[in-house]
Amino acid sequence: MQRGSLFVLSGPSGAGKGTICQKLLADTDIHLSISMTTRQPRQGEVHGISYYFTEEEDFLARVEAGGFLEYANVFGRYYGTPRDAVLEKLNEGKDVLLEIDVQGALQVKENFPEGILIFVLPPSLEELKKRIVGRGTETEDAIATRLGKALQEISFLDRYDYYVVNDDLDQAVDEVKSIIRSQSLKVADRAEALIAQYKEEN
């Protein structure tokens, strides 16, 4: 069985990575990685579906044991991607999708170099500002902060394997699908199995 691949999708807030992920999950067999967190479940959230919920003591013990591909402390609560859960799906031959911020993506690349990092870019900073303003939930100061953070995140683009410009959503989704398909055809991942298959037929 061919091992699955881990795809990490990230980019600035407002670039549309969440919407791209939703379409990928609806149109492909890719499996969405579930994060672990120390915060309490909100109404309607289900353990093992929304998040893996755990206590801080357990989370930190997992950190010490190298149990996360990436993790972060956000406003006093920990969030992370459990290594074993991802590896289990990959070993079942399933591709796994992880939607996280740039900091987390770079952690994944360090801890799991085989991961494929895809950066979702807005067409321009002006367009990104329009999208953020269009939400109607941000102050001028907050918008300026988000744009500054976006520029900082874009500066890490050279650490990624691929980029997609989300100008047209359907095209962006198709480009990510092409990246996923091309990964399954890489000789480096399948050479021995393919050679053995053809030798058996001889």
Side-chain angles (χ1 to χ4, degrees):
M1 177 192 299
Q2 183 181 356
R3 194 170 189 245
S5 297
L6 174 62
F7 297 92
V8 181
L9 202 67
S10 57
S13 175
K17 56 187 181 296
T19 305
I20 291 174
C21 280
Q22 290 173 8
K23 283 190 166 286
L24 289 173
L25 293 172
D27 297 344
T28 69
D29 294 329
I30 202 163
H31 175 82
L32 181 66
S33 173
I34 300 171
S35 295
M36 182 173 286
T37 183
T38 60
R39 74 163 172 76
Q40 292 299 307
R42 295 172 183 148
Q43 185 174 2
E45 291 182 333
V46 179
H47 177 77
I49 297 177
S50 308
Y51 286 93
Y52 296 114
F53 295 99
T54 191
E55 299 297 323
E56 183 172 315
E57 183 179 358
D58 174 62
F59 192 102
L60 293 177
R62 291 171 184 266
V63 170
E64 189 68 23
F68 292 101
L69 293 178
E70 58 84 29
Y71 74 95
N73 186 319
V74 182
F75 301 119
R77 301 298 183 195
Y78 286 96
Y79 295 81
T81 301
R83 180 187 293 270
D84 288 347
V86 171
L87 292 181
E88 180 182 352
K89 293 298 180 183
L90 296 179
N91 290 333
E92 290 174 359
K94 297 177 181 177
D95 290 333
V96 177
L97 177 65
L98 184 55
E99 182 200 344
I100 51 176
D101 63 16
V102 171
Q103 178 186 349
L106 298 180
Q107 281 189 56
V108 172
K109 197 65 171 179
E110 182 176 342
N111 295 319
F112 192 77
E114 308 97 298
I116 298 103
L117 270 54
I118 306 170
F119 200 105
V120 179
L121 284 166
S124 65
L125 280 182
E126 184 62 32
E127 175 61 26
L128 183 64
K129 182 178 180 179
K130 285 181 184 178
R131 293 177 185 180
I132 296 172
V133 170
R135 294 173 177 176
T137 58
E138 306 284 354
T139 65
E140 283 296 325
D141 286 346
I143 291 169
T145 298
R146 284 190 179 275
L147 290 175
K149 184 179 180 183
L151 268 177
Q152 183 181 22
E153 290 173 329
I154 290 170
S155 70
F156 289 101
L157 183 60
D158 61 347
R159 305 280 294 277
Y160 280 68
D161 300 295
Y162 297 93
Y163 74 92
V164 169
V165 178
N166 186 17
D167 189 6
D168 178 274
L169 178 61
D170 289 336
Q171 182 177 333
V173 171
D174 285 342
E175 288 176 356
V176 176
K177 286 180 181 178
S178 295
I179 293 168
I180 293 171
R181 283 193 297 267
S182 67
Q183 187 64 24
S184 69
L185 299 174
K186 284 184 69 174
V187 169
D189 296 330
R190 299 200 62 195
E192 290 186 15
L194 288 168
I195 292 168
Q197 174 186 328
Y198 280 93
K199 282 184 176 179
E200 285 177 4
E201 294 177 3
N202 185 13

